[in-house]
Amino acid sequence: MERRELIQLQDVSFGYPQGAFRLSIPALAIDSGARVAVVGPSGSGKTTLLNLVAGLAIPETGSVTVGETVVSDLNDAARRRFRADRIGFVFQNFALMDYLTAGENILYPYRIVRSLRLDAGVRKRALQLAEACGIADKLDRHPGALSQGEQQRVAICRALVTRPSLILADEATGNLDPETKVVILDLLFARAAEQGAALLAVTHDHELLQRFDRVIDFADLRQATVS
Ligand code: ADP
Ligand code: MG
């Protein structure tokens, strides 16, 4: 049987409507279950790559495929469904809802995606994740009353609670102390392994790179695309 990559970018080019930044990726493939670190200087396009994979940014040319889905061909509603079904995204700026408590933020996907059912099993999983992240006693607080590191852990729990097959983590350990960093990274790796999920993680922690199967260096990627 033919082996398929989980993520495939082919002849992708992208630019924001405002600003001069352009990203072109002739070919990039990531296997199912792979644990991949994305490194590179600030502004080199790491977040943009994650957004392209998640269908939050649409390439001008080329295609982005995740599993059997050509993400770049979907309309807005189908892209939202695809993200809800497949992707857990830990955003660099957390993107928590201030009007909701930490606990409600973790369960946010179940508020906005009709196909997701919030049942006792999900609530239990949310609590287990919060316990593993050391924020179980903070679930009644709003994001404004949490430290950056606590907010980050809420965002991580929210990304994992739906058991996604692809975890996108954008500097997900950036605001954590060294010990918590290791706990959170262990959790991300353990969940990815349990679910057979791929993990694509932007990181600046070069001492953590040896834990990944592969490192995509954005400086290299972009150099390779200069024609
Ligand atoms: P990184 O995550 O590697 O720091 P980004 O992917 O966030 O880099 O950004 C790549 C480049 O695109 C940067 O020069 C940034 O300023 C620019 N950029 C990011 N978001 C936008 C936007 N919404 N509009 C215009 N330019 C943007
Ligand atoms: Mg970024």
Side-chain angles (χ1 to χ4, degrees):
M1 205 166 76
E2 193 192 343
R3 202 175 114 267
R4 282 189 68 105
E5 290 91 5
L6 178 68
I7 306 173
Q8 243 182 331
L9 276 72
Q10 200 65 51
D11 299 321
V12 164
S13 70
F14 174 83
Y16 290 100
Q18 271 103 37
F21 177 78
R22 296 210 51 87
L23 183 62
S24 59
I25 303 178
L28 175 66
I30 294 171
D31 291 341
S32 321
R35 297 161 309 176
V36 181
V38 181
V39 301
S42 177
S44 60
K46 304 180 298 296
T47 296
T48 305
L49 171 68
L50 265 51
N51 286 340
L52 284 164
V53 170
L56 290 166
I58 313 301
E60 285 160 20
T61 64
S63 62
V64 177
T65 309
V66 175
E68 304 296 316
T69 308
V70 184
V71 183
S72 47
D73 283 353
L74 300 176
N75 64 27
D76 286 356
R79 270 205 314 278
R80 272 199 298 276
R81 265 200 309 279
F82 153 79
R83 269 198 300 280
D85 287 346
R86 301 296 300 270
I87 296 202
F89 202 142
V90 186
F91 295 97
Q92 187 168 10
N93 61 0
F94 320 137
L96 298 177
M97 308 297 141
D98 287 325
Y99 68 97
L100 298 175
T101 64
E104 289 165 344
N105 265 286
I106 294 173
L107 294 171
Y108 188 67
Y110 295 85
R111 269 177 196 255
I112 58 163
V113 185
R114 238 183 293 157
S115 58
L116 294 176
R117 285 275 158 257
L118 179 55
D119 57 25
V122 172
R123 288 186 188 282
K124 189 172 161 203
R125 191 158 69 238
L127 188 58
Q128 282 168 345
L129 284 167
E131 278 165 357
C133 290
I135 52 164
D137 58 339
K138 311 264 163 55
L139 295 179
D140 291 334
R141 291 201 203 166
H142 287 258
L146 296 173
S147 72
Q148 291 278 300
E150 288 163 350
Q151 291 179 44
Q152 188 155 42
R153 284 176 276 166
V154 173
I156 289 165
C157 293
R158 181 182 58 188
L160 295 176
V161 73
T162 54
R163 303 178 64 83
S165 57
L166 175 56
I167 301 167
L168 303 175
D170 201 349
E171 304 191 25
T173 54
N175 291 283
L176 306 174
D177 60 78
E179 293 91 67
T180 312
K181 213 172 256 190
V182 172
V183 171
I184 296 301
L185 212 66
D186 285 346
L187 179 71
L188 285 171
F189 275 90
R191 292 289 153 144
E194 251 171 62
Q195 295 158 216
L199 172 64
L200 190 54
V202 175
T203 180
H204 285 297
D205 291 314
H206 284 253
E207 71 275 16
L208 300 175
L209 292 184
Q210 75 229 28
R211 298 190 56 172
F212 291 86
D213 304 319
R214 176 177 169 196
V215 177
I216 296 176
D217 188 334
F218 240 75
D220 293 350
L221 246 192
R222 295 195 64 211
Q223 270 164 19
T225 68
V226 175
S227 53

